[in-house]
Amino acid sequence: MIIETTNLNFQFQKNKKLLNKVSIHVPEKSIYGFLGPNGAGKSTTIRLITGLLGEQNPGEIALFGKPLADQLPTVFSQMGCIIETPTLYGHLTGLEHLQFIATLQNIAHADFTDILDLVGLVHAQHLKAKKYSLGMKQRLSIAMALINKPKLLILDEPVNGLDPQGIIEMRLLLQKLNREHNITIFISSHILAEVEKLCTHVGILHNGELKFEGTMAELKAKNSGTSVLVEVDNVSKHTEFIQQKYPIEVINENEFLVHLNTKEEVPTLLSFLINNNISVYKMQPQGGLEEWFINLTKPVKNYETTI
C-alpha cells in the first residue's frame, strides 16, 4: 500500500474526537477518492498523513510500506501535496515558480518545459501568476508538485471553485498522470459526480469514522438496489393503487420515488403503470455515488444499511 493508516485517532479537544479508528488503504497506482461532509475529518486526515500535525506513533501511519515517523522529512522527495488553495507569488511567472521550487528542493535537472506541457501551461509560462485564472493556478500548483517526479500526489479539494470546463480539464490531467506516469493520486473532493468518473477506489468518512472503503465496483455492489423517479399526471390520485404493489415515496404532486431490488424490474414497473391507465411522463433511474454517499452518511436513526 502507498498509504496505510491503522486505527487512526485524533482530537484537538479532550472530549471531542475528530477521527476515530480510521484505517485507510490506498493501493499503488490507484486514484483514491476521500469523501465526507464538511467537518468529517478529511483535511485533518490529510494533515496527519503529511506530517503537518505532529509525529504519530510508529506504524499508525505508513507511506510506501514504512512508518511515516521513520521517514520524515525525506519522504517528501517521493510525494507532491496541495492542501487547500494554491499558494503562489503573484509577481512571479509560471516558469519562475517551477525554478523557485526546483531550487528549494535542490533539483538540478528538472525539465520545466515538459512539466508545463503536461499541465497545459507552456503558453502561459512567462505570464505572471496574478494574471492566471483559478484553473490555471490549480494546474500550476500541480506542476510545482510534480517537480520531484513523485510516486504519490495528495490533493485537497483540487476542483474547488472551478467552472465546468476547468473541472473537466483537471479530471483529464489527473487521469493522464495516473495512467501514463503511474502516479498514485489521493484526492479529497465534494464533487461526487467527478469522483465517480475519476476514482478507482473510494473512502467515505462521516463524523470521524470510515463508513466505507473499497473499489467503486464494490460500493456499487453494496448498494445494488435501484431507485426510479417517476413523473405522472397526479400522484395523489394513484398513490393508494400503486402502493398495493410498490411502496413509494412521494416527492411532489407529480413525482414519486420507487425503490426496486434490481434494474431489471424497471420495465415491469413501467408496464404495470401503463396497463393500469396511469400516464407516465418520465422515468429516471437514480443511484450512483451521490445516492450511495447520502445513504452512508445519513443520521443513524434513519440508517438502514449495515456497514
Side-chain angles (χ1 to χ4, degrees), residues 77-263:
S77 66
Q78 302 181 70
M79 57 193 292
C81 305
I82 303 174
I83 298 178
E84 294 185 348
T85 56
T87 302
L88 303 174
Y89 297 98
H91 65 287
L92 296 182
T93 67
L95 178 60
E96 288 169 342
H97 274 89
L98 298 192
Q99 293 170 335
F100 175 61
I101 294 298
T103 300
L104 285 179
Q105 298 187 11
N106 197 29
I107 299 172
H109 303 291
D111 194 329
F112 302 125
T113 302
D114 278 357
I115 295 172
L116 287 166
D117 182 54
L118 182 61
V119 301
L121 286 177
V122 170
H123 69 286
Q125 61 180 311
H126 299 301
L127 187 68
K128 293 186 183 298
K130 64 184 178 183
K131 296 183 178 180
Y132 277 27
S133 67
L134 179 57
M136 293 169 69
K137 289 178 180 178
Q138 292 282 26
R139 284 183 277 141
L140 179 57
S141 295
I142 290 178
M144 293 161 64
L146 295 174
I147 284 285
N148 59 345
K149 297 182 179 179
K151 298 178 183 177
L152 170 65
L153 192 59
I154 297 178
L155 306 175
D156 188 11
E157 301 285 356
V159 296
N160 255 8
L162 297 187
D163 60 22
Q165 183 60 35
I167 291 172
I168 293 171
E169 290 173 356
M170 182 63 66
R171 184 208 316 154
L172 295 175
L173 171 60
L174 296 180
Q175 288 174 331
K176 183 175 183 178
L177 293 174
N178 177 253
R179 293 170 182 171
E180 298 182 16
H181 298 266
N182 296 320
I183 297 176
T184 303
I185 299 174
F186 182 89
I187 176 173
S188 75
S189 179
H190 284 102
I191 304 182
L192 303 181
E194 276 305 302
V195 170
E196 190 169 7
K197 294 172 185 174
L198 174 66
C199 295
T200 59
H201 296 69
V202 65
I204 298 179
L205 195 69
H206 183 50
N207 290 334
E209 297 184 355
L210 197 65
K211 295 297 185 180
F212 174 85
E213 184 186 55
T215 65
M216 291 298 299
E218 289 169 342
L219 179 58
K220 184 175 182 179
K222 192 177 183 68
N223 296 271
S224 57
T226 296
S227 298
V228 181
L229 183 67
V230 182
E231 181 182 351
V232 298
D233 55 346
N234 187 313
V235 175
S236 60
K237 187 168 66 175
H238 308 294
T239 300
E240 186 175 348
F241 176 75
I242 296 172
Q243 285 190 327
Q244 294 178 19
K245 188 172 179 63
Y246 294 100
I248 68 172
E249 178 183 341
V250 177
I251 305 301
N252 54 51
E253 63 180 10
N254 297 115
E255 294 180 324
F256 62 89
L257 198 64
V258 182
H259 300 283
L260 306 173
N261 293 320
T262 67
K263 65 180 181 180

